[in-house]
Amino acid sequence: MAAVDSFYLLYREIARSCNCYMEALALVGAWYTARKSITVICDFYSLIRLHFIPRLGSRADLIKQYGRWA
């Protein structure tokens, strides 16, 4: 029983001393997640803007606008 108590005390002491490292790693993880989320949102916006929005508009009749060569 004494070994379990000493392990718990050792674990508690280590956890208390590493608290600042855990917070720093949590901040790095949050920064990485936010950056990747913004990248995915920007890529999705580009996909919508370049591929789907132009299909919603009417297609211009190039023959009427520029002649037979168009």
Side-chain angles (χ1 to χ4, degrees):
M1 200 56 111
V4 173
D5 289 341
S6 65
F7 175 76
Y8 174 72
L9 293 174
L10 179 64
Y11 174 76
R12 192 172 66 180
E13 217 32 60
I14 291 172
R16 195 177 328 166
S17 67
C18 292
N19 196 18
C20 64
Y21 298 118
M22 295 290 264
E23 290 176 4
L25 287 175
L27 286 174
V28 168
W31 174 257
Y32 178 79
T33 303
R35 229 175 116 199
K36 285 297 178 181
S37 298
I38 290 171
T39 302
V40 167
I41 289 170
C42 289
D43 289 345
F44 185 71
Y45 171 71
S46 294
L47 174 83
I48 297 287
R49 184 175 52 90
L50 294 174
H51 295 284
F52 294 116
I53 290 178
R55 291 183 183 183
L56 295 176
S58 63
R59 302 192 90 189
D61 189 10
L62 297 178
I63 295 175
K64 283 184 180 178
Q65 191 172 1
Y66 296 109
R68 290 191 67 189
W69 65 270

